[in-house]
Amino acid sequence: MRRYKSLNNLVGWLVFAVATLTYLLTLEPTASYWDCGEFIACSYKLLVPHPPGAPTFLLLGRLLSLLSFGDATKVPLLINALSALSSSFTVLFLFWIITMLAKKLVLRRPGMADDRTLEPTSGQTWLILGSGAVGALAFAFSDSFWFNAVEAEVYAMSAVCTAVVVWLMLKWENRADEPDSDKWLILIAYAIGLSIGVHLLNLLAIPALGFIYYFRKNEHPTLLGSFLTLLISSIIVGVILVGIIPGLPSLAGGFEVFFVNTIGLPFNWGIIIFLLLFLTLIWMGFRYAANAGNRLLNTALLSFVFILIGYSSYLIVPIRSSYHPTINENNPEDVLSFVSYLKREQYGDRPLLYGPQFNARPIASKEGAKRYVRKGDQYAEAAPRTEYEYAPEDKMLLPRLYSASPEHLYQYKKWVNVREDVKPTMGQNLSFMFRYQFGHMFWRYFLWNFVGRESDVQQAGVVTPFESKNGLPERVADSKAYNNFLALPLILGLIGLFYHTRRDGKNAFIVGLLFVFTGLAIVFYLNQPPIEPRERDYTFTGAFFAFAIWIGLGVLALAEGLRTVLKADGLRAGVATLLGLLIPGIMVAQGWNDHNRSNRYISIDSAKNMLNSCAPNAILFTNGDNDTFPLWYAQEVEGIRTDVRVAVLSYMNTDWYIDQMKRPSYKSAPLPISMERTQYVEGTNDYLPYVANPAVKEVNLKEFISLVKQNSPLLQVSYGEGGPTLLSFPTSKFFLPIDTVAVQKLGIIAPERRRHVVPVMEWDMGKGAIEKKNLAILDILATNNWERPVYFGTTVNSQDYMGLEPYFQLEGMAYRILPARDPDYNPRSGDDGYIVKDQMYDILLKKFAYRNLDNPGVYYDENSQRFPANYHDKFARLANAYLAVGNTAKAKEVANKCLALMPDAAIPYDFYTPQLIPALVQGGEKVRANQIMDTLTNRAQLALAYYTSHNPALHDQEIQQSLITLQSVARAADSVGDQARAAKSFGLMQQYMPQQQ
């Protein structure tokens, strides 16, 4: 037995070493896009990220970051390595899970029993270890799991939590008859408590754990017993998910409000009284269990306590928030705001079992639960959130078609034949659930991991085993993310599933339950809308983990199939293992180049470049995760341009964020917002509707802000009898008087633009509502007096520009608002922002960093290629600005520099690249210009031919991009007199445009 145990440990650690080496070699050296920049920054300084936070991850990330020894550039590598190590340990525990299950099969001891004393033969040992290695390595090199392993996100650590609790439960199952076996259950409870501070996905393993317990305690399980086990384990999940995580803090908040407001005690005394009472009840429970000799109650109470101990990592959230750190999302500094943070209230909710469908209209509204905020020495009632009521006939069971967003309605029609004015049928509802939510958003991802993935293009399909690349667009055929596993992982996994089911039904059922709850149950619970900003496959790695168990057990089935050919156990085990190892071998060979993020710096360089676009002490408005989180990383970790205040527009619709913007941060002074909190507190001025007043032709911005601050009756409008009273704006025409002398003295206007300075800025806001974020920006413009530079990132949605584009000056990757009107502004051209050529040249060619954008060996996925398109645009804008003044040499230099920094082999040409054509042609580079136009035309033609014949509804974005590319080529060719190429591109556009109408 000792020999088997030693080999099991040794091979497990070797598999761990292989996974670790793989992940460390392919690790991203800095912060990836999406949430990674935020998590690295918040780990490094223990800040407060977006709800519901991940305090366990942050604490461990902080510990690893200490190994940087003051070198901030090493911090992201170390925190990314936390995910790599978490993934490696997941692989290690998966190996041991597979070997525990395989041992039962090889020794023909299915079910639940202590098999520790049974020693496999040498051949059996290597077969068991081979199955573990194949299954664990197949999972290690699976697409979604590998993706999570090389970046600072919570999903890798969530996976190791799941692996640990399953492994611990199987360890308990082998020791269930021992007097102290309950200690394993208590350890599992602690692991679950810790996992709450990472991600809630781990809770979905509890039903599988419940059945291990039930099968071990009942040699002859019944249908009723199984149903009760599922019910009880589901209740445990609900108790943790609702009763413990937000429930206990909510109860503490109720005590706090009562004892402060009613009894008159100081703040926090209600929480203290709640804790004393709560601890007393727990002590009484332990005392009763001891006196009654109730082991089950005692174990349950201990498990409950250890879940709370693990969950206590969340205490860092209100503790750190109370110190008002620079990143403090939702400001959860007291128990009441902490509850809102835990419940993710800012994200709203989706109907699950019963609710309104997409064309339901509210028939009434009511106030939601009471909300309280600190005011003076008591808690005052805050404006409650509005809850809408719907007619019973507008509600339905399992509302899958529920979103009334116009974009979502358009997307629904791609999957089911619905009409906006007709209530969807249950058949349409279920069709969408099975076709899109289960099929497209789960089974497609499943097949990505075990059959093959077409590309990194969003909505990419599955590669079938013998699929040809003929006819595929270059973006797909030559993509490093084109991975074909020949369906071998799927086939071996299905063989393992059938083998496991036949030989050990109980354990096969448990693995199946783990697969269902960490996969299909999540799909059902999430009730996903018909379009997502990115692929969500990382959510389902728990299900892929479960399937990898069957891939490992498939090796046993292979060995069984070889029994008639190979009689020797050792030889049969070796051949089966080698055949099985071909699968992770194919997976790592196919997946290495598109999972290798080493030497990729694009996200952080783009953040630094945007910050370095700004003048000192600037205000920079951004929007979205990828616009903002890399900037947070650059400032918080590397200390880049902390004088620039990054203001996130989506957050500026909240009072807590405006509060933060009105405080200093590092080298940045508070934002010049003159409104008091009463003018922007939640429920006040959330939006100001347009209500035309014919007597008001235009409004002075400063006077408008003053009226808003006074809550002036001149702006008030009422909606119906007893309806809300809101402030409005009476005209879309705004103006702002300019002290031109003072502006000239500030030195913010380039000499060539002095004639552009206007005595009055005039613009049209449009007739949409003014949201709170827009109101804050207008307040800054009215109050700032041009003392601080104000910028919009060029990636911000143009709707947030509020009609100010004529006053934009393009500086690098940001638009600066200046009291100087661009005389050549044309709203139809799409070229916003006047260019001061020498300034722009200095920024693009001397200040900006473009590390490895010229290296074809570095993998840039679809998301990473979006930002370089902005570079292409800005270089082209500068080159054409030089052409406009006759400086052909400079225009050619800029165009060639752009193509040298980002050659097509590394960063493929995009629809902005043709804008460089005039500079190349006039600079004598006609051959190169023709090559660019021909390349883009051919690529667009192939892409259109493919996507219009393969799920065109799912790839309308790729189709539109190809059409825009052809349009851009046609314009460029026409501008240089190349009518043949212009006609070809235009003809292709005409050929495919009717299909888009």
Side-chain angles (χ1 to χ4, degrees):
M1 182 60 200
R2 182 171 296 177
R3 180 174 179 273
Y4 169 77
K5 183 177 180 180
S6 299
L7 286 173
N8 189 37
N9 289 335
L10 175 63
V11 176
W13 285 107
L14 286 175
V15 169
F16 169 85
V18 170
T20 301
L21 182 63
T22 299
Y23 299 146
L24 292 181
L25 288 175
T26 57
L27 200 67
E28 182 142 359
T30 185
S32 306
Y33 280 116
W34 301 107
D35 297 343
C36 300
E38 180 194 27
F39 277 127
I40 292 173
C42 291
S43 295
Y44 183 50
K45 293 185 176 178
L46 288 183
L47 308 176
V48 182
H50 66 275
T56 303
F57 179 91
L58 299 186
L59 288 167
L60 292 173
R62 173 58 181 160
L63 287 175
L64 273 184
S65 74
L66 297 176
L67 299 178
S68 66
F69 299 108
D71 184 353
T73 60
K74 298 294 190 296
V75 168
L77 191 67
L78 289 164
I79 298 178
N80 288 340
L82 176 61
S83 288
L85 291 172
S86 297
S87 300
S88 300
F89 276 108
T90 304
V91 172
L92 173 63
F93 286 112
L94 174 59
F95 172 86
W96 284 332
I97 289 168
I98 294 172
T99 57
M100 278 193 273
L101 295 174
K103 185 180 178 185
K104 294 176 183 294
L105 294 170
V106 169
L107 298 180
R108 301 188 182 279
R109 289 290 301 271
M112 306 294 164
D114 186 353
D115 58 17
R116 287 178 294 164
T117 59
L118 300 177
E119 176 74 13
T121 65
S122 178
Q124 290 173 331
T125 295
W126 288 113
L127 182 58
I128 293 169
L129 299 180
S131 69
V134 170
L137 290 175
F139 182 62
F141 305 138
S142 62
D143 181 67
S144 301
F145 186 70
W146 196 347
F147 181 91
N148 292 338
V150 293
E151 66 176 17
E153 254 281 18
V154 297
Y155 298 101
M157 190 174 289
S158 175
V160 76
C161 292
T162 300
V164 165
V165 296
V166 174
W167 177 77
L168 286 172
M169 200 65 191
L170 291 175
K171 297 286 281 187
W172 168 86
E173 182 257 320
N174 260 333
R175 296 159 175 79
D177 296 328
E178 296 178 356
D180 62 348
S181 63
D182 288 352
K183 66 185 181 184
W184 293 92
L185 302 178
I186 296 166
L187 182 57
I188 289 169
Y190 179 61
I192 290 173
L194 283 176
S195 75
I196 294 171
V198 180
H199 201 283
L200 299 180
L201 289 174
N202 180 249
L203 299 179
L204 297 173
I206 290 177
L209 307 185
F211 273 93
I212 294 176
Y213 184 91
Y214 174 65
F215 289 154
R216 185 64 174 86
K217 291 293 186 180
N218 296 270
E219 189 173 346
H220 302 289
T222 64
L223 186 62
L224 177 61
S226 298
F227 173 77
L228 291 175
T229 300
L230 182 61
L231 179 64
I232 292 170
S233 58
S234 299
I235 289 173
I236 292 173
V237 174
V239 167
I240 297 173
L241 194 62
V242 178
I244 292 179
I245 297 174
L248 289 177
S250 297
L251 194 57
F255 270 73
E256 172 73 357
V257 172
F258 173 77
F259 281 99
V260 172
N261 285 9
T262 305
I263 307 300
L265 294 180
F267 287 127
N268 298 323
W269 270 96
I271 299 173
I272 294 171
I273 293 170
F274 167 77
L275 289 174
L276 291 174
L277 180 60
F278 183 64
L279 293 173
T280 300
L281 289 173
I282 291 176
W283 175 79
M284 291 174 64
F286 277 118
R287 185 173 180 181
Y288 172 80
N291 291 337
N294 192 327
R295 176 178 175 178
L296 181 61
L297 177 60
N298 186 71
T299 302
L301 286 172
L302 280 171
S303 299
F304 175 66
V305 168
F306 273 84
I307 288 175
L308 293 180
I309 292 172
Y311 176 45
S312 67
S313 65
Y314 256 105
L315 289 175
I316 74 165
V317 172
I319 290 171
R320 290 294 295 137
S321 178
S322 66
Y323 284 91
H324 297 152
T326 46
I327 298 176
N328 186 19
E329 299 201 41
N330 289 60
N331 191 33
E333 62 181 352
D334 57 48
V335 67
L336 301 178
S337 55
F338 179 52
V339 170
S340 175
Y341 182 85
L342 289 173
K343 290 182 176 180
R344 297 164 57 97
E345 289 182 353
Q346 75 178 64
Y347 299 115
D349 54 14
R350 300 170 184 172
L352 183 59
L353 298 176
Y354 184 72
Q357 34 74 26
F358 66 80
N359 62 10
R361 296 293 179 265
I363 59 173
S365 63
K366 63 178 181 179
E367 293 184 353
K370 289 184 177 181
R371 299 173 55 248
Y372 295 91
V373 294
R374 288 190 181 188
K375 189 173 183 180
D377 57 357
Q378 284 196 326
Y379 289 98
E381 285 194 33
R385 291 186 173 90
T386 300
E387 295 181 359
Y388 294 103
E389 297 180 348
Y390 298 86
E393 59 270 20
D394 280 339
K395 295 182 179 181
M396 64 190 310
L397 288 172
L398 300 179
R400 306 290 104 176
L401 302 165
Y402 63 89
S403 175
S405 165
E407 180 189 10
H408 288 167
L409 292 177
Y410 169 72
Q411 297 292 335
Y412 282 137
K413 293 176 183 178
K414 295 180 179 180
W415 297 95
V416 286
N417 185 23
V418 294
R419 289 173 48 188
E420 297 177 20
D421 56 342
V422 178
K423 178 180 178 179
T425 66
M426 179 56 72
Q428 292 171 326
N429 217 37
L430 294 178
S431 176
F432 178 75
M433 180 175 72
F434 285 108
R435 292 186 62 204
Y436 175 76
Q437 294 181 329
F438 284 112
H440 191 68
M441 297 301 286
F442 177 76
W443 289 115
R444 178 173 63 105
Y445 295 149
F446 174 81
L447 296 176
W448 274 7
N449 284 271
F450 302 117
V451 174
R453 181 175 180 173
E454 185 184 61
S455 69
D456 56 24
V457 173
Q458 189 161 350
Q459 314 289 4
V462 176
V463 174
T464 52
F466 304 106
E467 184 174 306
S468 171
K469 290 188 177 182
N470 293 334
L472 291 178
E474 189 175 326
R475 178 70 180 82
V476 175
D478 294 342
S479 172
K480 292 179 180 179
Y482 185 97
N483 297 329
N484 193 342
F485 305 141
L486 303 176
L488 294 176
L490 175 67
I491 294 169
L492 187 59
L494 291 175
I495 292 172
L497 164 61
F498 294 131
Y499 181 80
H500 199 201
T501 302
R502 286 185 57 196
R503 297 297 180 90
D504 189 355
K506 290 180 181 178
N507 281 309
F509 174 77
I510 289 166
V511 176
L513 203 64
L514 184 64
F515 179 87
V516 169
F517 270 87
T518 58
L520 298 175
I522 295 175
V523 176
F524 182 80
Y525 176 77
L526 290 177
N527 195 8
Q528 290 172 311
I531 190 69
E532 294 278 9
R534 58 168 170 158
E535 301 286 13
R536 300 296 191 187
D537 55 301
Y538 52 82
T539 308
F540 307 112
T541 51
F544 308 152
F545 173 94
F547 190 78
I549 295 175
W550 287 323
I551 292 177
L553 298 182
V555 175
L556 305 185
L558 289 180
E560 189 70 21
L562 293 169
R563 184 176 292 276
T564 56
V565 180
L566 302 173
K567 302 298 183 181
D569 287 352
L571 180 60
R572 191 166 61 248
V575 172
T577 299
L578 288 175
L579 288 174
L581 285 174
L582 287 175
I583 289 174
I586 291 172
M587 295 174 76
V588 73
Q590 287 284 302
W592 185 279
N593 55 2
D594 58 297
H595 290 90
N596 181 9
R597 301 194 206 176
S598 61
N599 299 314
R600 194 164 89 183
Y601 298 93
I602 185 169
S603 63
I604 299 313
D605 282 353
S606 66
K608 293 177 181 178
N609 291 345
M610 186 169 284
L611 290 171
N612 286 325
S613 299
C614 301
N617 201 31
I619 299 167
L620 173 62
F621 294 111
T622 64
N623 196 24
D625 297 357
N626 287 340
D627 286 351
T628 303
F629 292 159
L631 300 177
W632 283 1
Y633 161 83
Q635 291 188 319
E636 297 290 343
V637 179
E638 297 192 26
I640 304 296
R641 293 300 305 276
T642 56
D643 61 303
V644 176
R645 177 58 70 92
V646 176
V648 189
L649 289 171
S650 54
Y651 294 166
M652 287 194 72
N653 277 329
T654 66
D655 49 11
W656 57 265
Y657 190 70
I658 296 177
D659 286 341
Q660 293 175 24
M661 291 294 101
K662 293 179 70 173
R663 292 195 290 263
S665 174
Y666 299 117
K667 296 179 181 178
S668 170
L671 293 193
I673 297 175
S674 65
M675 291 185 296
E676 298 295 330
R677 197 175 199 279
T678 53
Q679 278 103 47
Y680 60 80
V681 70
E682 184 176 357
T684 301
N685 293 331
D686 290 335
Y687 67 96
L688 283 65
Y690 170 74
V691 179
N693 184 343
V696 181
K697 301 301 182 184
E698 58 182 356
V699 62
N700 185 314
L701 177 60
K702 291 190 176 184
E703 293 176 357
F704 176 74
I705 295 298
S706 177
L707 292 173
V708 169
K709 288 158 62 176
Q710 298 169 30
N711 196 31
S712 173
L714 295 174
L715 300 181
Q716 291 179 0
V717 292
S718 297
Y719 283 84
E721 186 176 349
T725 299
L726 303 175
L727 294 186
S728 65
F729 63 107
T731 176
S732 63
K733 306 291 186 181
F734 280 69
F735 69 92
L736 177 64
I738 304 298
D739 185 341
T740 56
V741 175
V743 166
Q744 296 287 8
K745 288 181 179 179
L746 288 172
I748 61 175
I749 305 297
E752 68 183 73
R753 299 212 63 198
R754 288 173 183 165
R755 67 185 188 280
H756 299 160
V757 176
V758 293
V760 177
M761 287 177 62
E762 297 177 309
W763 70 96
D764 192 321
M765 284 283 296
K767 297 178 181 180
I770 294 177
E771 297 181 46
K772 189 174 293 179
K773 62 183 178 182
N774 307 124
L775 188 61
I777 296 170
L778 294 174
D779 188 357
I780 291 171
L781 291 177
T783 308
N784 183 44
N785 292 323
W786 310 105
E787 293 175 4
R788 292 184 68 174
V790 178
Y791 293 85
F792 283 104
T794 56
T795 51
V796 167
N797 191 314
S798 60
Q799 293 178 346
D800 288 320
Y801 294 153
M802 301 182 295
L804 290 164
E805 292 93 328
Y807 303 97
F808 281 178
Q809 179 171 292
L810 179 59
E811 299 179 9
M813 299 304 299
Y815 295 122
R816 184 173 183 174
I817 304 174
L818 288 172
R821 187 179 180 91
D822 182 355
D824 300 320
Y825 173 69
N826 180 1
R828 295 183 179 179
S829 70
D831 293 337
D832 296 330
Y834 183 92
I835 294 178
V836 178
K837 293 175 287 298
D838 292 344
Q839 178 194 38
M840 190 71 166
Y841 180 93
D842 182 66
I843 293 173
L844 289 181
L845 277 72
K846 296 181 180 180
K847 288 185 177 180
F848 275 13
Y850 306 93
R851 282 181 292 180
N852 284 335
L853 294 186
D854 60 349
N855 185 352
V858 177
Y859 172 60
Y860 296 104
D861 59 10
E862 181 187 44
N863 194 62
S864 298
Q865 289 180 20
R866 287 174 182 158
F867 206 90
N870 293 301
Y871 293 147
H872 285 153
D873 176 48
K874 304 310 177 286
F875 271 97
R877 292 284 310 280
L878 178 59
N880 290 322
Y882 278 121
L883 276 185
V885 295
N887 194 339
T888 304
K890 209 69 168 173
K892 176 185 175 182
E893 177 193 351
V894 170
N896 281 328
K897 185 66 175 178
C898 175
L899 297 172
L901 289 169
M902 294 167 284
D904 181 56
I907 302 295
Y909 301 144
D910 53 56
F911 49 79
Y912 287 121
T913 308
Q915 296 176 19
L916 297 168
I917 297 301
L920 292 173
V921 171
Q922 293 189 38
E925 298 270 3
K926 188 174 182 179
V927 173
R928 189 175 198 181
N930 292 344
Q931 181 267 329
I932 291 173
M933 289 189 285
D934 292 342
T935 298
L936 283 170
T937 301
N938 293 336
R939 286 177 182 170
Q941 184 176 10
L942 270 175
L944 287 168
Y946 178 76
Y947 286 123
T948 54
S949 59
H950 292 76
N951 291 326
L954 293 184
H955 293 286
D956 51 4
Q957 181 176 339
E958 284 70 36
I959 293 172
Q960 290 296 332
Q961 286 180 348
S962 297
L963 291 172
I964 293 171
T965 298
L966 290 174
Q967 182 184 47
S968 185
V969 170
R971 287 178 176 175
D974 183 67
S975 70
V976 296
D978 192 338
Q979 298 306 318
R981 286 184 170 85
K984 181 179 179 180
S985 296
F986 186 75
L988 286 170
M989 283 177 60
Q990 293 295 101
Q991 178 182 342
Y992 289 100
M993 279 295 286
Q995 301 180 34
Q996 298 303 299
Q997 293 176 357

